[in-house]
Amino acid sequence: MEQNNTAHLPPVSAEVLWYLNNYILLRDYYDRTVSRIAARCVRKGNIAIEEYPFYSYILDVLEEISEVGDFVLSHKELYPYVEQKIKGGLAAFKKDLKEYQLELQKNSSPDMIKEDASELNKMKDALGPVSKTEDPTVGAGMNMDQLMEKLLKENNINPSGES
């Protein structure tokens, strides 16, 4: 719920205040866009929203909401304006921003994850060390025989069927 009576609030530059106003507009735009695309998905044979050809645009809007929200959070001089312009104030703002960021994180494409160094490092840690000095295809997967051999070995099963 945006209220325009900000005369009693501390002065903030128009450039900085623009970010809060833009966040509010983006949030509304995102909600309307998702609703609209969901309706289109139903008309296209009830496809999943993730299968919509322009789904990545939704993620782009989420990313922009996240970036603008982080800017607002980092500028404490905007907090009184957040209290005035957003229903539920700063607590609601932080909760909503966290939900948008979580939604973005859950639906990020591999290309988006590549841009986030911490995500790339998490993936490397999960995969473990991989040296390609001896075999350039290491880590690319196993053929079916190698997979079966590994599974049998992990389950202490002799290839002849004996335990």
Side-chain angles (χ1 to χ4, degrees), residues 2-3 35 40 56 58 60-61 85 90 118 132 134:
E2 186 174 343
Q3 298 175 2
S35 294
R40 289 184 57 78
S56 59
I58 293 173
D60 185 53
V61 175
K85 292 177 171 252
L90 190 60
S118 67
K132 295 187 178 191
E134 293 179 29

Side-chain angles (χ1 to χ4, degrees), residues 26-132:
L26 281 168
R27 189 181 63 183
D28 182 57
Y29 177 72
Y30 172 79
D31 291 342
R32 290 173 186 252
T33 301
V34 169
S35 294
R36 189 76 207 116
I37 289 175
R40 289 184 57 78
C41 288
V42 169
R43 285 199 321 267
K44 287 183 173 275
N46 211 22
I47 64 171
I49 198 164
E50 293 83 7
E51 299 300 319
Y52 184 71
F54 306 106
Y55 177 70
S56 59
Y57 179 70
I58 293 173
L59 297 179
D60 185 53
V61 175
L62 272 174
E63 187 174 30
E64 189 171 0
I65 288 171
S66 179
E67 291 168 358
V68 173
D70 284 341
F71 179 90
V72 171
L73 270 181
S74 69
H75 286 77
K76 294 184 190 238
E77 67 271 22
L78 286 173
Y79 288 7
Y81 291 85
V82 170
E83 291 291 339
Q84 183 82 22
K85 292 177 171 252
I86 295 179
K87 184 177 181 179
L90 190 60
F93 168 78
K94 287 179 178 180
K95 179 181 174 279
D96 288 347
L97 179 59
K98 187 175 183 177
E99 287 175 7
Y100 287 127
Q101 290 173 334
L102 182 60
E103 186 71 21
L104 175 64
Q105 184 180 16
K106 287 188 329 190
N107 292 296
S108 293
S109 68
D111 288 338
M112 291 173 76
I113 290 172
K114 278 188 228 172
E115 295 172 8
D116 185 352
S118 67
E119 286 298 318
L120 191 56
N121 288 334
K122 286 180 199 172
M123 289 170 62
K124 286 179 181 177
D125 289 344
L127 293 173
V130 176
S131 171
K132 295 187 178 191

